Amino acid sequence: MKKLYVKTYGCQMNAYDSAKMADLLAPLGYAASDRPEGADMVILNTCHIREKAAEKVYSELGRLKALKAQKAQGGGRMLLAVAGCVAQAEGEEILARAPVVDMVVGPQSYHRLPEMIARSAREAGRALETDFPALEKFDSLMPPASSGISAFLTVQEGCDKFCTFCVVPYTRGSEQSRPPEDILREARQLADKGAREIVLLGQNVNAYEAGGWSLAKLCDAIAAIEGILRIRYTTSHPRDMAQDLIAAHGSNPKLMPYLHLPVQSGSDAVLEAMNRQHGGDDYRRLIERIRDARPDIALTSDFIVGFPGESDADFDATLRLVRDIGYATAFSFKYSKRPGTPASTMRKQIPEDVKAARLDVLQKLLLKQQYDFDDSQIGKTVPVLFEKTARDHGQIMGRTPYLQPVHVHAGAALIGQVAEVKIAKRTANSLHGELAKQGVPA
Ligand code: 5AD
Ligand code: SF4
């Protein structure tokens, strides 16, 4: 067997793509390895969403150069591929800047990896594949070779929203939805391999639309698959939060009460400059409707601080919105200029120290909300889907409906099942509790 090491950066969609690349290369004799040392092939599946992501890739390439040289000394060859969104955005530049790289493959062309590898074995040249053959890759993918208890399933890719800060419309292309029958087949295959939770993925997953099917309809069809206990989806745009999807949160018991709905800012002026196509109050009203359908829903968001032109008053509006909504958890970032995006050339860029100070204030508020939310579970009995054994001996780890990790002293036999857990305490990153009853499936 040849050894394949895949390193994944960025979002869940990259994690899904990495697993698919590994499945694609298995018939060529590659088996997954958890380290790059001695690997016959290394794939860096990259992210381009913020500055540091691309820089990390170049420094990783520096380290890999030494490993590749070692491998060559021993008479072997380490193939080095850069995949993902940095590959899409900077393909030619990567080949020019990092001679150690053998192939560059974009997120819509990675199904061509086997052919690229064969080509590189024949002729020692370097290869670049960054076309956009929309959704063609899904036709070439293998059925999942294995599955965890919680499995990702890409249903939609790309984005037509063109938020002025974001590279996604350029790296992942325009919105494309996979046919429902393909998705349902993959969901059944995952369930057969042991998946009990399906996480539907898309850059704009709630914009899903194919052959008259909406995301809500897809969730209902997946809920009917034997073995599937829970369904989640990410990431959604407020503009695409359709009424049938909101209603599904009230009517589909397998759809978990958890929603990642990024708002980015609470200021109408900033939202406008970001081209988000809604204001702060539109978002507040939307959340009200969602809470009407599912009162206990846990909300999460992404925030950007220091967007060009953001004033102190704009930032205060963001803090106000966070207080009004109350998040279970959230991600927040300093604005970073992305080449080619409209915001990168806007005047009134915000100084780094102002961004850092705002981020600090926002993150303290968000962390307090997270702890308050986690603490609100203490003393309650909640259904936990167990996913794996924990690092601590004798414990297993699972998640509440609200995606909070929970650690419990219990046997591995419960993995893959939902059991009621009485929550006793919270540590920095996890809840802890005791089984209320033995393995009662929900
Ligand atoms: N700068 C900072 N954060 C960004 N994001 C996307 N583009 C940028 C950028 N240029 C954040 C947004 C998005 C998340 C995935 O990454 O908050 O929702
Ligand atoms: Fe980027 Fe906006 Fe599309 Fe999200 S909706 S991927 S932030 S352009």
Side-chain angles (χ1 to χ4, degrees):
M1 276 310 233
K2 288 179 276 191
K3 280 197 249 169
L4 168 69
Y5 173 72
V6 186
K7 180 160 180 169
T8 308
Y9 301 80
C11 64
Q12 291 111 323
M13 190 159 314
N14 268 10
Y16 174 89
D17 289 343
S18 290
K20 289 293 178 197
M21 286 191 259
D23 288 348
L24 269 173
L25 298 187
L28 277 69
Y30 287 93
S33 159
D34 56 5
R35 53 221 303 272
E37 287 80 10
D40 299 279
M41 170 131 202
V42 172
I43 303 175
L44 300 182
N45 194 10
T46 62
C47 170
H48 201 234
I49 199 97
R50 285 171 295 276
E51 233 147 14
K52 293 223 173 69
E55 282 318 307
K56 276 190 221 153
V57 172
Y58 285 109
S59 60
E60 183 70 28
L61 286 173
R63 281 192 292 276
L64 288 169
K65 195 172 160 187
L67 295 181
K68 184 167 169 145
Q70 263 175 23
K71 181 97 182 167
Q73 265 172 10
R77 182 169 181 213
M78 176 191 279
L79 281 176
L80 186 47
V82 178
C85 292
V86 178
Q88 188 63 43
E90 302 192 0
E92 299 283 355
E93 197 177 324
I94 295 169
L95 289 177
R97 189 168 152 185
V100 66
V101 172
D102 298 293
M103 51 193 84
V104 173
V105 60
Q108 304 301 342
S109 347
Y110 64 72
H111 55 297
R112 299 198 181 137
L113 266 174
E115 156 198 336
M116 291 168 82
I117 292 172
R119 223 188 304 150
S120 105
R122 283 197 306 272
E123 1 160 340
R126 303 161 84 203
L128 173 73
E129 289 278 2
T130 48
D131 288 354
F132 271 122
L135 296 183
E136 174 194 297
K137 72 170 179 222
F138 288 104
D139 297 332
S140 326
L141 298 184
M142 311 280 180
S146 63
S147 175
I149 300 301
S150 178
F152 293 139
L153 203 178
T154 294
V155 303
Q156 180 278 342
E157 276 198 67
C159 182
D160 300 334
K161 299 285 184 300
F162 291 94
C163 299
T164 54
F165 52 81
C166 185
V167 284
V168 166
Y170 312 96
T171 60
R172 291 271 174 172
S174 63
E175 282 175 13
Q176 306 278 345
S177 295
R178 290 176 70 191
E181 53 275 22
D182 290 10
I183 295 166
L184 293 173
R185 185 185 323 115
E186 190 167 332
R188 281 191 292 270
Q189 289 164 344
L190 287 165
D192 286 346
K193 297 279 175 197
R196 295 294 166 260
E197 174 176 276
I198 302 269
V199 184
L200 303 175
L201 299 181
Q203 265 89 30
N204 250 292
V205 72
N206 60 341
Y208 178 87
E209 202 284 316
W213 283 56
S214 64
L215 186 65
K217 189 166 173 191
L218 205 51
C219 289
D220 286 344
I222 292 173
I225 294 175
E226 200 181 323
I228 300 303
L229 304 174
R230 291 182 167 187
I231 301 165
R232 303 178 185 277
Y233 60 89
T234 197
T235 290
S236 299
H237 192 289
R239 290 276 305 205
D240 294 320
M241 207 61 215
Q243 182 53 39
D244 69 337
L245 186 58
I246 295 176
H249 276 283
S251 63
N252 181 342
K254 294 192 180 171
L255 192 53
M256 288 295 103
Y258 177 96
L259 178 61
H260 183 59
L261 197 62
V263 65
Q264 314 294 354
S265 166
S267 150
D268 288 345
V270 172
L271 287 168
E272 165 98 47
M274 286 177 164
N275 189 32
R276 293 290 293 181
Q277 304 170 42
H278 66 79
D281 284 343
D282 299 321
Y283 184 84
R284 284 180 179 83
R285 278 193 293 271
L286 175 61
I287 297 298
E288 238 170 72
R289 283 169 52 215
I290 297 167
R291 283 186 165 147
D292 281 346
R294 182 78 205 219
D296 68 332
I297 199 157
L299 294 161
T300 79
S301 177
D302 296 337
F303 293 92
I304 295 177
V305 299
F307 185 82
E310 185 186 67
S311 65
D312 285 337
D314 291 323
F315 178 62
D316 285 345
T318 297
L319 296 177
R320 216 159 39 239
L321 181 121
V322 169
R323 287 198 195 92
D324 287 350
I325 301 294
Y327 288 99
T329 178
F331 301 98
S332 45
F333 313 100
K334 291 188 277 189
Y335 168 72
S336 87
K337 277 187 183 180
R338 304 286 65 213
T341 59
S344 66
T345 52
M346 286 179 184
R347 287 179 302 135
K348 298 209 251 165
Q349 296 284 331
I350 305 296
E352 273 308 305
D353 56 334
V354 176
K355 287 186 204 171
R358 287 181 185 165
L359 187 67
D360 191 51
V361 172
L362 177 61
Q363 290 191 332
K364 284 204 169 89
L365 174 61
L366 290 169
L367 193 63
K368 177 169 184 322
Q369 292 196 340
Q370 181 181 326
Y371 285 163
D372 287 349
F373 178 68
D374 288 348
D375 287 344
S376 74
Q377 303 295 308
I378 295 173
K380 288 189 184 155
T381 299
V382 294
V384 172
L385 171 59
F386 288 103
E387 295 182 5
K388 57 184 179 190
T389 51
R391 225 174 284 154
D392 277 0
H393 190 66
Q395 293 198 5
I396 55 177
M397 177 271 180
R399 289 184 185 273
T400 69
Y402 315 110
L403 207 59
Q404 296 150 298
V406 183
H407 286 78
V408 176
H409 279 281
L414 274 183
I415 291 170
Q417 294 188 43
V418 174
E420 295 289 330
V421 173
K422 181 153 191 205
I423 305 298
K425 65 167 186 178
R426 163 181 72 74
T427 52
N429 297 314
S430 181
L431 296 172
H432 301 256
E434 287 172 12
L435 286 182
K437 299 176 243 151
Q438 284 291 333
V440 185

